[in-house]
Every structure is written in structure tokens, then in C-alpha cells.
Amino acid sequence: MSGFISMIQNFDFYKSIQVDIRQKTAAGGAISIVAAILMSMLFLCETASYIQGTPVHSIELDDHDNLSKTAGAFWVNFDITFPSVTCDHISVDVEDRLGSRIFDISKNVEKIPLDAEGAEAAMLPDEHLIAAPEGHVSMKEIQEVVANKDIFTRSNDSVMLEADNFEEWVNAHEWALVTFRVEWCPWCQMLVPVWKSAAAILAKRDAPVEMATVECTHHMELCKKAGVVAFPTIKLFHFGNHVPPDYKGKRTVNDIVHYAETARDFKSEAEKAGANVSSTHREDVGCTVVGHLFVHKVPGRIQFSLKSDQHTFNREFVNFTHQVHHLSFNDVPETESEMEAIMLDHEIQDKVSKWLSQVFSSHTKHTTHEHYLKVVEYEYKNRGFGYARANRIYEHSISSHSYATDTHLPAVKFHYDLSPLQVTVEYKSRPWFSFITMVCALVGGTWSVMSVVNDVASTSGLGKALFSGDSKALAQTLRASS
């Protein structure tokens, strides 16, 4: 047995030194602590690198939708500000190559009014408009008005206001209902007999509401100052102060008369909602549109434009300067909480939306903006800790341009096209023996380097002088070393 042990001892690479000839020093202790800290840090970093792996990119055909519950569809998330367009008539539309056309989408879309400083203005839902009951204006009253043909003659127009007397007139009346129109607008022409009939009935009822008209064809600057983009626009004033929002009810004699007679209640509702009722012109001048849409995974377009089936728009006043705070694509989430988690994950948002609140200005009139997005899917596999929660995200490239057109209203269009190829990012860990080898190299290398440092400190006497507290001895040692 002793012979076997002696044979084993011949292979000893780590020959021990007798303990009684070793000497512990303060400098050696300090260097050992530093060495232990360095080895621990390097070990932890190497372990983290081994766990999360190294990303390996590959390109392959995207065929995930064959197995997905929402095959062939994904979500588009957007947050866009239009500083010069009010929320009244902004329409969000979607069209695609499959022939799908959806206009004026309101589901999952929120429109936030903005004032001239870009701050959020009071939001007044349409529901606060008091609906007119059937028969508020009796058939007899209407028949009496219709029988009086003089009411509908051009000489019997309601009060016609001009730029130089507009403010003076609305300031002089407790309640005033003013319509802004243009001669070439068919909707304005249809409103004329209704407007005259309503004015005649209100006068017969001694209602404290005066009705007037502004012909914007001759007073465009006044209409622009009043924030009128669509014709006809009906506004309510109380002693010269505009009561928001503009009238959005039916253009019938019954509804307009009821609206005028309940003006006081309407103003109270506006004040409860926090609206500013102490200015001649409307407070909100811009709009932020936020939401998400469910679209097909085929080439398509999301468009922001002005639409109404009861108004004519003045192209001269439409300015679609816009700021894109966010626009991204993602798979349809299974739950609302999953959707919120994705939207709040800044790492995901930094990858999928690269707009950085960029502003696109309309430097000329009638400017339409178009953005072309090439969407590429990224799939992440075998990720370690510290990465975004989504396994699949969509990145996109951006190409933008603008142009002036005289054939249609200005708009903002986002064209998107999904690539048939996807990028797969797989995090592959190194073999276990590579990890062990690297750990040994880091620990052994650190041990060796710090051993050299310790030997230098001991041989030069620098370590002893440093921890002795004798400044003169330390100075002499440093001079001797130099």
C-alpha cells in the first residue's frame, strides 16, 4: 500500500510548501481580497453569458400563421398628433389588397382634443347633447311657416354678419346661433330653408336666441379664425363667448329649435365637462389620435383624413402637419393584460417603433403625406433572462414623402407590406466544457496575475511600506523603485 502511495506522490504537480515558512502580510491580504472580488465578478459575468447564450440569426419562410388562431392578421398600434386639425371630422380608415375597406373606425380609437399650446383640452362626448323629443315643434307650426312663402325669399335671410361687425353682434346678444356657410356647398343650400324656418318659429315663440349667418365665401379669414373647416358649421355663442362643441345634431327644424331653446342647459353641461366657455373662438385646434387596429397580413393602407356625409370641406384650411409618437405592429394578444404588458415594455417599443416623435410638416397648401413601411417579423428562441417578454415582434423600415395635390383633400397615409420571410434569432449556449474551460482560465489567470503583483509588492518592499503607516519609508521605497 505504501508503495502505491509513493508512486502516486511522484505525479504531484502541486508540491506543498511547509506552512512554517509561509508569511502572511497585510499587502498580501489586500491583494487577495482584490483577487477574490475580480474572480467572483468574472465568474458571474461568464455564467450570465453562458445562460443567455449567443444570438444566431437566420432567415426562413414565415409559415407561423398556418397554426395561429388569428391566422393572417395582426395589430397596428398608433399614437399620432395633428396640431392643426380638430377631432371633429378626422377619420381613421383601413384598406388592403383583399378588398377590405373600413372607414371612420371608432372601435379601439380615441381622439383627444388639443389646445394651441398642445395641452389636452376638455373632451365633450356627443352624448351630452340633449336629444330633441319628437314633436317639439308641432306640425301646425311648421305648416304655418311653410304657408308664409315670404320667409323663404332671399330678402328674408337671417342676419348676415361680416368680419367688421361679427364680434360686436354676438357680444350684444345673450344667446346667438350662427351658421358658417359657403355658396358652393350643397349641404349649406339644403340648410337654408330649415334655418329660416327655425328662425321664424323661435321669433314667434319669443325665444331669447338670435340666429345669424356668416357667408365664408366673402369672409374666409373670419371663418378661419373661428376654426371653421367644414361647411355648414353651426356655433352657439353666449354674450360673445363660444360654447363648445359645435352643433352635431340633426339639421331639422325640430332639432335646431330644441337646441336653441335648451342653450342654457347645453352650456351648463359644457362647463361641467371642463370646457372653456369664455373665449370668442373654440379652444381646441388640434387632435391626438391613439388606438390599435386589427388588420390582415397583406399589403394595405391606414389613412387619416377628413370625412363627413353632411359637410363640405375647405381644402385651403386643411393642414395635416403631424407628429408620429408611436406606430408599431404586433401579434394579436390573447388577453388585455398581455396587450398592456407589451405596450409598457420599453425594450419592445424601442425595437418595433423607430419614429422617435418625428414631425412631418406641410410646407405648402394641399399637402398629402405618405409613409411606406416594410414590415419584417423577428422570432426569438431559447432566450435567457433579461430579454423582452414577446417571442415574436415586428420591426419595420420607413420611407416618407409628401406632395401637393389639387385633386383631393390632404391626408396622411401609412402603406404597410409584410415580408414573406422572417428573421429567427436563436440564443445558443456554448458547450458545458467550453464554459468550464473559460471559468478555469479566468480564475487561474486572475490568480496568476495577482500573484505576480504580490511578488512585486513583497520584493520591492512597497507593500510593507504602504501598510506600515511610515510615510518616509514609503517615499524612500518609491524613490528606490524609480
Side-chain angles (χ1 to χ4, degrees):
M1 185 66 181
S2 60
F4 177 74
I5 294 175
S6 299
M7 182 180 67
I8 294 298
Q9 289 176 343
N10 293 330
F11 291 97
D12 185 8
F13 296 151
Y14 308 100
K15 297 178 177 62
S16 301
I17 301 175
Q18 293 183 9
V19 178
D20 56 354
I21 66 173
R22 295 179 181 177
Q23 182 181 3
K24 294 183 179 181
T25 63
I31 294 174
S32 298
I33 293 173
V34 173
I37 294 174
L38 287 176
M39 286 187 285
S40 300
M41 291 176 58
L42 292 172
F43 174 76
L44 292 175
C45 292
E46 181 63 21
T47 302
S49 175
Y50 173 73
I51 292 175
Q52 65 189 26
T54 303
V56 178
H57 295 71
S58 62
I59 298 177
E60 58 188 37
L61 188 66
D62 182 8
D63 59 355
H64 289 95
D65 285 328
N66 296 330
L67 303 175
S68 174
K69 295 180 181 179
T70 56
F74 62 167
W75 286 64
V76 182
N77 314 292
F78 54 85
D79 181 354
I80 304 172
T81 292
F82 302 94
S84 302
V85 181
T86 61
C87 296
D88 292 350
H89 305 292
I90 288 184
S91 174
V92 183
D93 312 324
V94 173
E95 300 181 47
D96 62 37
R97 291 281 180 85
L98 294 179
S100 298
R101 293 186 176 184
I102 308 175
F103 300 107
D104 199 12
I105 300 172
S106 57
K107 184 178 181 181
N108 299 325
V109 175
E110 182 181 5
K111 300 174 184 177
I112 306 170
L114 305 174
D115 61 20
E117 302 298 325
E120 291 188 13
M123 296 181 64
L124 296 169
D126 294 340
E127 291 74 12
H128 91 286
L129 181 64
I130 304 171
E134 290 291 336
H136 181 74
V137 176
S138 67
M139 185 60 65
K140 181 181 179 181
E141 288 177 297
I142 295 178
Q143 289 174 346
E144 289 177 355
V145 170
V146 173
N148 186 1
K149 296 182 180 180
D150 293 338
I151 292 178
F152 302 103
T153 60
R154 183 174 292 273
S155 60
N156 195 42
D157 276 338
S158 60
V159 178
M160 301 298 294
L161 300 179
E162 299 182 355
D164 56 356
N165 69 345
F166 174 79
E167 290 193 10
E168 179 183 355
W169 188 88
V170 294
N171 288 333
H173 295 86
E174 180 181 5
W175 298 102
L177 206 56
V178 182
T179 177
F180 296 79
R181 72 185 190 192
V182 287
E183 295 175 349
W184 42 265
C185 166
W187 303 107
C188 301
Q189 297 167 6
M190 293 170 61
L191 178 63
V192 170
V194 175
W195 192 257
K196 290 182 177 182
S197 299
I201 291 174
L202 287 171
K204 184 173 289 189
R205 291 185 176 186
D206 293 328
V209 180
E210 298 292 331
M211 298 181 69
T213 300
V214 174
E215 183 56 67
C216 293
T217 309
H218 310 298
H219 304 286
M220 280 295 182
E221 286 302 317
L222 171 60
C223 296
K224 183 178 181 180
K225 186 177 179 181
V228 177
V229 176
F231 303 106
T233 292
I234 300 174
K235 293 177 177 287
L236 175 65
F237 294 88
H238 178 246
F239 285 124
N241 294 322
H242 174 239
V243 180
D246 298 338
Y247 177 70
K248 299 178 183 178
K250 297 178 181 179
R251 295 183 196 142
T252 65
V253 175
N254 187 70
D255 286 86
I256 292 177
V257 170
H258 180 267
Y259 175 73
E261 292 182 333
T262 57
R264 192 177 304 276
D265 297 334
F266 186 77
K267 178 175 179 288
S268 298
E269 292 294 327
E271 289 176 329
K272 289 179 182 178
N276 180 13
V277 293
S278 60
S279 175
T280 303
H281 302 296
R282 63 186 297 170
E283 178 185 31
D284 58 310
V285 298
C287 186
T288 291
V289 185
V290 183
H292 48 268
L293 305 174
F294 183 77
V295 300
H296 295 111
K297 283 187 178 179
V298 296
R301 178 179 71 190
I302 300 172
Q303 177 171 302
F304 298 85
S305 59
L306 297 181
K307 281 187 174 61
S308 174
D309 57 359
Q310 291 187 344
H311 293 85
T312 299
F313 296 99
N314 186 351
R315 298 170 61 253
E316 300 296 321
F317 294 169
V318 180
N319 180 355
F320 262 108
T321 293
H322 59 286
Q323 183 177 18
V324 185
H325 303 288
H326 178 89
L327 192 144
S328 65
F329 303 83
N330 65 269
D331 285 326
V332 180
E334 295 184 358
T335 63
E336 185 175 346
S337 59
E338 181 182 344
M339 181 67 183
E340 292 179 356
I342 292 174
M343 296 303 295
L344 294 175
D345 194 316
H346 296 294
E347 184 174 357
I348 295 178
Q349 300 308 317
D350 291 343
K351 290 182 179 180
V352 301
S353 182
K354 300 178 174 63
W355 295 86
L356 303 175
S357 295
Q358 187 173 353
V359 177
F360 299 89
S361 300
S362 298
H363 298 291
T364 60
K365 292 183 178 180
H366 317 155
T367 299
T368 290
H369 301 266
E370 299 202 33
H371 309 282
Y372 294 87
L373 315 178
K374 194 67 177 182
V375 185
V376 180
E377 178 183 348
Y378 278 73
E379 181 179 19
Y380 292 86
K381 295 181 178 180
N382 303 326
R383 295 167 301 161
F385 55 84
Y387 283 85
R389 289 183 283 272
N391 288 323
R392 294 166 63 188
I393 64 175
Y394 296 86
E395 297 191 35
H396 60 269
S397 61
I398 307 168
S399 178
S400 304
H401 78 285
S402 60
Y403 56 90
T405 175
D406 294 326
T407 58
H408 53 74
L409 283 171
V412 176
K413 305 175 183 179
F414 294 87
H415 303 267
Y416 58 89
D417 185 11
L418 188 68
S419 172
L421 301 177
Q422 73 163 23
V423 178
T424 300
V425 183
E426 186 172 4
Y427 287 82
K428 294 185 176 181
S429 297
R430 292 166 293 157
W432 64 269
F433 53 83
S434 175
F435 170 69
I436 297 297
T437 302
M438 184 59 69
V439 169
C440 292
L442 292 173
V443 173
T446 305
W447 177 271
S448 300
V449 170
M450 299 309 290
S451 295
V452 172
V453 173
N454 182 59
D455 291 342
V456 172
S458 299
T459 304
S460 63
L462 183 61
K464 183 177 181 181
L466 183 64
F467 286 92
S468 66
D470 190 346
S471 58
K472 293 183 179 180
L474 177 59
Q476 291 175 356
T477 303
L478 290 173
R479 285 196 294 271
S481 300
S482 59

